[in-house]
Amino acid sequence: MLAVDPVPSGTTDLSSPEASQDAARKLFSAGDRKGAERLLLFAMGRFPTAFPLGAQYAEIAEAAGEWPEALGRWELMQQRCPDVDAAYAGVSRALRQLRRFDEAQSLIDHAIARFPDKLLPRVEAAWIAHARSDWTEAAARWNAVRALAPNHPVGYAGSALTLRQSARLDEAERMLDEAATRFPDDAQIAIDR
């Protein structure tokens, strides 16, 4: 069981995972990270399998660049929610940020086998190859992301970044042109162009 400090004063509605998550988001937005974390821990005690609560808790550590802490938080959610692909992607992302590439790859291979139609594990696999500067493998993995989810901009943005990193600038520009046509309102594609 998680040890939890008292919930911050002034917190009113913790009757559901969604209300708890919203209250934590408001605390965090107001600059009260510790209060948001205490609230999330309290809510996770009440709703242990509510994945969004644990994901938000892990993402707070990620945002602070506290990757060992984020890893522990994601591992907790993977244990509590073994049927949620995003939990595996979160653990793998933390391992990747800690430069523990072999562990990240092993876990994400397992996730892809377990969730073959899910996008997040494949995106994480592409980022692992990218972090290793294995441009050929990263490009192949981004192609797989686009094949799985052709109507999602992440595969295009990731492909363009990998192409740029591997000095294939003309191909990167064509990829971004295609993405801008397919996703004219996507801010990230506009920024990448």
Side-chain angles (χ1 to χ4, degrees):
M1 189 74 179
L2 296 170
V4 182
D5 291 339
V7 175
S9 62
T11 303
T12 54
D13 183 10
L14 303 179
S15 61
S16 70
E18 296 79 14
S20 300
Q21 190 177 10
D22 186 52
R25 191 176 297 113
K26 287 176 184 172
L27 286 170
F28 187 75
S29 294
D32 187 0
R33 174 186 170 178
K34 295 288 185 202
E37 288 177 321
R38 284 194 309 271
L39 189 148
L40 288 166
L41 279 173
F42 176 80
M44 289 166 62
R46 291 186 66 203
F47 310 105
T49 59
F51 178 77
L53 292 171
Q56 187 176 1
Y57 184 58
E59 289 165 355
I60 289 173
E62 285 185 358
E66 296 171 359
W67 291 105
E69 180 65 24
L71 175 60
R73 293 176 184 192
W74 280 119
E75 287 173 333
L76 175 65
M77 290 318 297
Q78 183 187 9
Q79 292 166 5
R80 288 183 175 191
C81 304
D83 295 327
V84 177
D85 65 301
Y88 293 79
V91 172
S92 182
R93 181 173 50 255
L95 289 167
R96 172 173 50 86
Q97 291 293 333
L98 292 167
R99 305 197 60 78
R100 293 166 54 183
F101 297 131
D102 291 340
E103 293 171 77
Q105 187 63 59
S106 177
L107 178 65
I108 215 62
D109 287 344
H110 172 74
I112 289 170
R114 185 162 183 198
F115 309 104
D117 297 329
K118 295 290 189 172
L119 182 61
L120 285 177
R122 293 194 184 271
V123 168
E124 180 54 31
W127 283 124
I128 292 167
H130 188 94
R132 285 181 157 166
S133 300
D134 185 344
W135 308 125
T136 301
E137 185 62 24
R141 291 178 183 187
W142 287 119
N143 287 340
V145 168
R146 287 196 322 279
L148 179 64
N151 295 319
H152 197 294
V154 69
Y156 296 85
S159 288
L161 181 60
T162 292
L163 290 166
R164 280 184 177 160
Q165 292 293 319
S166 59
R168 295 164 57 186
L169 302 179
D170 290 340
E171 291 174 77
E173 193 61 35
R174 284 193 299 274
M175 181 66 64
L176 288 171
D177 288 344
E178 180 182 349
T181 300
R182 292 178 67 93
F183 313 104
D185 298 326
D186 186 87
Q188 188 60 52
I189 296 296
I191 291 168
D192 290 348
R193 290 188 82 204

